[in-house]
């Protein structure tokens, strides 16, 4: 397993930080931002969520503008709706690739988590709600994913 810096979106140090020019805080709506910060750390970038919240581009409603944001050291490749396990497995086999996963469960209708890898028990990742490792399909229904690769230097 790669080394990750695990971030909790409700960390008291940054839970009230606003994302971009929106009125949305990291504590309530920062799962995407925290997940991207976690997967960036796989490549040695330790970008804390409050710094990313000022760097990434968001709509006034707090949604991430995927195409306008600079995710260095990552390059945004694609946003995939629906769960294509074969495509995601192939993508994550390359050590220069990574992803965040769009999920839901009965308590959380829309959420993002950081992907790590597939193991014999399924897809593993990290949840920014509690900053802990998880087996995704045990806790969530997978709705889609966003693919990133290491940006060429």
């Amino acid at each position: 397993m790669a080394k990750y810096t695990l971030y909790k979106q409700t960390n008291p140090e940054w839970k009230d930080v606003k994302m971009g020019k929106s009125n949305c805080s990291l504590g309530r709506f920062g799962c995407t931002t925290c997940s991207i910060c976690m997967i960036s750390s796989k490549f040695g970038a330790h970008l804390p969520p409050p710094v990313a919240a000022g760097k990434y581009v968001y709509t006034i409603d707090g949604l991430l503008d995927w195409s306008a944001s600079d995710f260095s050291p990552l390059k945004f490749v694609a946003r995939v709706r629906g769960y294509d396990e074969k495509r995601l497995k192939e993508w994550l086999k390359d050590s220069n690739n990574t992803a965040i996963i769009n999920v839901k469960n009965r308590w959380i209708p829309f959420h993002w988590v950081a992907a790590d890898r597939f193991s014999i028990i399924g897809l593993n990742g990290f949840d920014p709600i509690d900053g802990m490792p998880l087996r995704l399909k045990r806790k969530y229904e997978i709705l889609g994913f966003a693919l990133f690769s290491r940006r060429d230097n």
Side-chain angles (χ1 to χ4, degrees):
M1 181 159 54
K3 294 274 187 186
Y4 292 86
T5 301
L6 303 182
Y7 293 110
K8 186 175 173 182
Q9 70 188 74
T10 57
N11 182 319
E13 291 180 43
W14 58 65
K15 69 179 180 128
D16 296 322
V17 171
K18 302 293 184 210
M19 300 181 318
K21 296 182 192 271
S22 76
N23 285 320
C24 298
S25 69
L26 282 170
R28 282 199 52 151
F29 301 99
C31 56
T32 312
T33 301
C34 289
S35 293
I36 294 170
C37 290
M38 285 192 268
I39 63 170
S40 294
S41 72
K42 172 183 175 182
F43 301 114
H46 298 286
L47 182 67
V51 175
K55 176 183 174 193
Y56 300 161
V57 179
Y58 301 87
T59 67
I60 197 72
D61 298 322
L63 298 174
L64 188 62
D65 186 334
W66 301 92
S67 59
S69 294
D70 175 7
F71 300 110
S72 295
L74 301 176
K75 178 177 131 188
F76 172 67
V77 176
R79 168 81 168 84
V80 179
R81 298 188 192 284
Y83 185 44
D84 182 343
E85 185 172 299
K86 183 178 176 187
R87 181 176 181 188
L88 185 59
K89 254 185 195 174
E90 278 302 310
W91 184 258
L92 292 175
K93 280 182 185 176
D94 185 329
S95 63
N96 289 307
N97 294 340
T98 188
I100 61 173
I101 312 298
N102 183 211
V103 297
K104 76 173 188 172
N105 66 21
R106 67 181 191 197
W107 299 283
I108 303 170
F110 193 86
H111 183 50
W112 289 90
V113 297
D116 178 26
R117 63 186 169 85
F118 280 90
S119 69
I120 58 169
I121 55 173
L123 179 58
N124 297 305
F126 304 96
D127 197 331
I129 288 178
D130 57 14
M132 299 299 293
L134 78 149
R135 284 185 238 147
L136 269 82
K137 287 183 108 180
R138 261 195 170 169
K139 186 172 180 181
Y140 294 115
E141 174 186 343
I142 298 175
L143 303 173
F145 45 90
L147 303 175
F148 295 85
S149 64
R150 184 192 308 242
R151 188 179 293 276
D152 294 331
N153 294 327

